[in-house]
Amino acid sequence: MATEREADISFVVGEEKRLTDIVSAAEVVPLLKGMVRAGAAEVAVLDAEGRTLWQEKSAAAGVKLAGALPICLEGEPVGKLVIKGCAGREESLKGLARLLLDALNTIIANNLKRMLTTEIHTAVVNQSYAELLETNRRLAESEARYRELAGELEKKVEERTCELKQAHARLLQQEKMASVGQLAAGMAHEINNPLGFITSNLNTLQKYVQRLLEMLEFYRTMVGDDGATAAIAAAAHGKWQSLKLDLVCADINALIGQSQGGAERIGKIVADLKGFSHIDELAEGVADLNAELDRTISVLDHEIPGDAEIVRYYHPLPGLPCNPALLCQAFFNIIRNALQARNSGLRLVIGTLCDGAGIRVTFADNGPGIAPGVGDRIFEPFFTTREVGSGTGMGLAVAYDIVTRYGGAIEAESPAGGGALFTVTLPLQRMEHVKVP
Amino acid sequence: MIEFDEQEKRMVLKLVYYGPALSGKTTNLLRLHDLLVREGRGELMVLDTVDDRTIFFDLLPFFLVAPSGLKIKIKLYTVPGQVKHDATRKAVLQRADGVVFIADSQTAEAANNFASFDNLEKNLAVVGLAIDRLPLVVQFNKRDLREIIPEGEIRRTWGEAGVSVIMASALRGWGVVETFRALAQQVYDHVDARHRLREAHGLERDDFLRKLTTVVDG
C-alpha cells in the first residue's frame, strides 16, 4: 500500500500556475499589434508586480494613459492591461480595450481548461498504468507462489508415496514372517502328538525288552549240560550263536536309549518352536529377555556352524512388558545377521544389562564389520550388502521397526577392535503415546 | 493537506464535491456560481462532458486576501460520479482539505449512496487522508422530489456519527450555499488551528465566511 500511495502523490491535478505558464507571446503579441493598428499608441501586459510582460508601441507620440484593466486567473488578479492613446480618442480606445481584455480572458480560460484536461488525463493514465504495473507485479508474485506450491506438492506426494511403499513392504514382510512362524508352530503341534506315543511306547518297549532278556537268560540257565536236556542245550546254543543273540542283547538297550534321546530332542525342538512363535500367548505379556534370547538361539541352532562360539554375558533383568513374539523376531533377525557375517570361526557375544530405566542388549560379532558409508542405510528396507537373491534386505529393517515401536533404539557400529556391534535399548516404562498394534 | 507557501504568502485550499453519479455535484457548483457575488469568485470551469455527464471535473475558484496580505485561493472541485471513473476521482481527491458528500435523497438511490461513500473512504485511505480528521459535510440533495428518504431517518443515521448533514435542492437553489458555508466553517477552524489565520493573519472566521458566501441581492 505504501508504494501505491507514494506513486499516487505525484499525480496531483490543478497545481498553481502563473500567467506566463498559461499564455504565450505568440498568442498575446498579435492581439497587442492589432490594438496598435486600431489606433492605440502603446499597449502592454504587466504581471501582478507591475513588470512588463509584453509590449507594443506605435510611432505616434503625445501619449496619454487610457486605463489599467485587471487580468484575472481563477478569480485572482494576476496582471494588468495598460493602454496609452492620443487625446480625444479615449472613448473608442475604451471599447477596444474592453474587447481586448475579453479576448485575453477567453484565451486564458480556454488554455487553462485545456491544460487541466491534459493534466487530469495524464494523471489518470499514469495512475492507471502504475496500478496495472502493481497488479501485474502482484499477479506475477502469486503465480510464482502457486508454481512453488505446485512443485512442493509434487515433491511431498513423492515422499509420501515412498513412505507408504516402505511401510507396505514392512507390513508384508512381517506378515510373511508371522505366517511362517504360525506354520512352524502348527507343525510343531502336529508333531507333538505322534511324538508323545513314540516316547511313551519306547519307554514301555524298553521295559518289555528287559523282561524278554530276563526270560532268555532264565531259559539258558535252566537248560544245563546234564543228560536229558544236553541235546536241547546244544541245539539252543547253536541257534543262539547263529542268531548272534549275544550282540543283540548287548546292543538292544543302546538302540532304545538312542531312540529315546532322539525323541527327546524332537520334543525340545518342538517346544522351542512353539515358544519362539508364542503361539500360545497372542497378546502382550511380561517377558524375561534372557530366556527369550536363549529360545531364539535354540531355534537358530541348525544355522549355527559347528565351530561357532556363542558367548552369553547375561545379567539379571526385570520383566519387560511387551509382545514377546515381536521382540523374539527382532533378536532372531539380528542374530541371524551376525551368523551370516562369517563362514567359520564365528564368535558372537550377546550381553544383557539393566540400568534401571531400560534394558540394553548387545550383539558383538567378529565378522567383517559394517562397510564405511552404509551405516546410515542398513536399517532401510530392501537395503542389503549380500548378493542379489541371497538377502531380502528386510531383516534389520523389521528389527528396527519393532524396537522403535516399543520406544526403544537400535544402533549399529564397527568398534575399533573389529566386527560389528549392535546395541538395542528398550525403556522399561513405555512412552504413553507409542502405540503397539 | 493545506498548500501553504510562507515566502510567497500564498495558501491554496482544495475542497472536493464527492458523491454517486447524477446526485447533483455539478449542479451545486453551478448554483454557487449563480448565487454568490462575483467579487473574489472566479468563473466556473466545466471541463468537457459526455452527454452532460462529468468525465473529468468541474472547478469553481475563490480568491481572497487576508489583512496580513496572505493570498488564499479556494478551489471547489467536483469528481465524476460514475463508477468507471475511479482513477479520476482518486486524482482529484489528492491533497483535499475538505469534502462535501452529495447524496441522492431518492429511496431508490440509497444503495448507490452507500457504495459511493464506501468508495470515498477507500480512496481517502489510498491518497493518505484520514476521513475522521478531514472537514466533511453531507448534503442530501433532491429534497424537492417525492419518494425520498425521510429527514428524520437521515438525521438519526448520520447524527450518531457526528457529521453535519444539510438538506438541499440544488435544482431549486436552496441548501447549496448553506452546505458550502458549513464546510467553509470547518475548513477555517482546521486551517486556523495550524496556521493561526486569526492571530497571525488578522482573518476572522466571519470575514472568511462573508467573503466566500455572500449571496447576490434579489
Side-chain angles (χ1 to χ4, degrees), chain A residues 8 14 16 74 76 131, chain B residues 10 46 73 75 90 94 126:
Chain A
D8 283 350
E16 285 297 287
E74 295 179 332
E76 179 187 359
E131 280 173 7
Chain B
R10 281 181 71 88
V46 178
K73 192 176 261 186
K75 295 180 176 181
K90 271 187 231 167
Q94 304 277 359
V126 167

Side-chain angles (χ1 to χ4, degrees), chain B residues 67-141:
Chain B
S68 69
L70 175 71
K71 295 171 190 162
I72 303 176
K73 192 176 261 186
I74 295 149
K75 295 180 176 181
L76 270 56
Y77 286 87
T78 61
V79 295
Q82 294 176 77
V83 174
K84 61 183 170 185
H85 293 308
D86 199 44
T88 311
R89 273 195 294 281
K90 271 187 231 167
V92 175
L93 205 56
Q94 304 277 359
R95 299 191 191 171
D97 298 298
V99 170
V100 174
F101 184 80
I102 307 288
D104 193 324
S105 289
Q106 297 177 91
T107 47
E109 296 296 319
N112 287 338
N113 290 338
F114 179 79
S116 177
F117 198 82
D118 194 52
N119 175 259
L120 170 64
E121 284 187 306
K122 202 190 90 214
N123 282 346
L124 281 174
V126 167
V127 300
L129 293 170
I131 193 162
D132 49 352
R133 288 204 296 272
L134 193 69
L136 173 71
V137 172
V138 174
Q139 179 193 88
F140 269 81
N141 193 16

